[in-house]
Amino acid sequence: METNQDKPQEEIKQDQIAEYHEDIRHIELEGYELRVKKARNALFIAAGALALGFFISLAQTEGNFVGELAILFCPLIAIFIALGFWTKQKPFTAIVTGLIVFIGFWIGFAILDARNIYMGIIIKIFVIVYLANALKDAKELQKAKEEKNI
């Protein structure tokens, strides 16, 4: 067993520097994970907002069009839930996909009815801002995960 007394002073300093850099990298990754967690929550909030919209739409149609509404909303809700869980493996890819699907969903509903542009605007802006702000951190976290195979 080798002790610090057996090592040359230069090697001890290199070990300390390497340890320091590893600690700094670990702290950086924790920061990335925190911001990605916020984006993950935004994806789950998007799913919840869609579920709420589904139930409101059901109430407005008094039970008519249940099948059509379910076909429209349920896959979108499932997509956002799946993307939320996928952020644990591929955070950047999941968040970019979530942004594309969410904005596409917003545009699609606006085409169907222009009033949909403004309905739930605060939640829509919240989701987009949280997802967009997490992109850089998600990219770094995904890169680090791929490098280390975490």
Side-chain angles (χ1 to χ4, degrees):
M1 180 170 180
E2 193 173 311
T3 64
N4 279 347
Q5 294 173 347
D6 298 338
K7 291 183 180 180
Q9 191 65 23
E10 185 66 29
E11 193 174 326
I12 293 171
K13 285 181 183 178
Q14 288 176 352
D15 288 347
Q16 290 172 340
I17 291 170
E19 242 179 75
Y20 174 77
H21 284 288
E22 185 63 33
D23 289 344
I24 294 295
R25 185 67 177 154
H26 182 71
I27 291 168
E28 283 178 345
L29 289 177
E30 285 177 356
Y32 296 150
E33 287 174 357
L34 178 64
R35 289 182 287 279
V36 168
K37 183 178 179 182
K38 288 180 181 179
R40 180 180 311 119
N41 289 340
L43 289 167
F44 289 134
I45 288 169
L50 285 169
L52 182 64
F54 172 67
F55 290 118
I56 290 171
S57 296
L58 276 179
Q60 289 176 344
T61 62
E62 298 175 357
N64 300 331
F65 309 111
V66 173
E68 290 88 349
L69 287 172
I71 289 171
L72 185 64
F73 279 94
C74 289
L76 281 170
I77 293 167
I79 287 169
F80 283 107
I81 290 170
L83 287 171
F85 286 115
W86 195 31
T87 58
K88 292 193 181 236
Q89 286 80 36
K90 296 282 188 177
F92 181 73
T93 308
I95 292 171
V96 167
T97 304
L99 262 172
I100 291 168
V101 170
F102 192 77
I103 292 171
F105 149 78
W106 191 2
I107 291 170
F109 273 84
I111 290 170
L112 293 175
D113 186 356
R115 292 179 295 173
N116 288 326
I117 293 173
Y118 303 108
M119 293 174 70
I121 190 85
I122 293 172
I123 292 174
K124 291 173 184 172
I125 290 171
F126 167 83
V127 169
I128 289 171
V129 166
Y130 266 83
L131 293 176
N133 284 340
L135 282 175
K136 180 181 175 204
D137 297 320
K139 187 172 189 171
E140 290 296 321
L141 182 60
Q142 185 168 320
K143 188 171 113 179
K145 284 183 175 210
E146 289 170 355
E147 287 173 358
K148 289 182 105 177
N149 274 336
I150 298 175

